[in-house]
Amino acid sequence: MKQQLEELVSDLDEDVALPTEKREPLGRYVLEVFGERLYGAGQYIAESLLRAGKTVGLHLVGGFLPASAQYEIERKNGWNSGHEYHPTLASFVNTLLLIPAYSAATYAAAQHMMEHPGYGATALTFGLGILGVVDTIGRMMMIGVTEDAAGSLLGKPLYALYEGAKGLRKAGADIVAEARRRREGKQ
């Protein structure tokens, strides 16, 4: 084929250069590399935002728990996990979030008290208000003076219920496992 092409070219009067090997344009490769790098940067940013969101959520909710539970979270989500949970900071942030929550609950109870006067509604209103003030001031003093984590007064009984349910689930699993062993005759 090449020989025939050369013969045709030699028959022409003018000098015609054979086409050299054509190189692809560089622009396509520049766009390809740019796209890969842009994708990698976007992926890094998305992962960082997700990790930050988890950390913020952990601080917002974890600060409600008793100090012992917060230190357990810190142990599990330490420096190497990417979350960097700080119990004192979590307690502080959660305390700041509970101030409007206590205020809203007290206001709602006061509205109920105005509509349905009585000892129960009045006690509920004052109880919520006092709980909010005591919880907030107590936690802020604990955080400020000792620089330790301070769980909410409401968080302690709720966490105790959680731990009790966890214990009941384990006890139930142990009973079922023992019953299966007995059924199979492996006492």
Side-chain angles (χ1 to χ4, degrees), residues 42-108:
Q43 193 174 22
Y44 174 76
I45 290 170
E47 288 171 358
S48 297
L49 289 174
L50 182 63
R51 197 168 39 253
K54 286 180 182 177
T55 301
V56 168
L58 196 58
H59 278 77
L60 292 177
V61 175
F64 185 73
L65 300 173
S68 60
Q70 290 190 49
Y71 289 120
E72 183 65 22
I73 292 172
E74 180 185 35
R75 187 185 64 74
K76 289 181 180 177
N77 296 285
W79 294 100
N80 296 330
S81 71
H83 293 298
E84 300 177 12
Y85 180 80
H86 301 285
T88 306
L89 176 64
S91 294
F92 179 74
V93 169
N94 185 267
T95 302
L96 292 180
L97 286 176
L98 282 180
I99 291 171
Y102 280 130
S103 300
T106 304
Y107 177 76

Side-chain angles (χ1 to χ4, degrees), residues 18-40:
L18 293 174
T20 58
E21 201 173 295
K22 192 172 187 179
R23 295 175 73 184
E24 291 186 48
L26 186 61
R28 176 180 157 250
Y29 294 103
V30 168
L31 288 175
E32 186 178 306
V33 171
F34 179 73
E36 287 174 2
R37 300 246 171 111
L38 188 63
Y39 174 76

Side-chain angles (χ1 to χ4, degrees), residues 86-143:
H86 301 285
T88 306
L89 176 64
S91 294
F92 179 74
V93 169
N94 185 267
T95 302
L96 292 180
L97 286 176
L98 282 180
I99 291 171
Y102 280 130
S103 300
T106 304
Y107 177 76
Q111 289 296 322
H112 181 74
M113 181 182 75
M114 295 299 181
E115 293 172 9
H116 307 285
Y119 294 116
T122 305
L124 175 68
T125 303
F126 285 112
L128 279 171
I130 291 171
L131 177 68
V133 169
V134 168
D135 190 31
T136 302
I137 291 174
R139 289 177 79 187
M140 287 298 194
M141 286 178 59
M142 172 80 104
I143 293 167

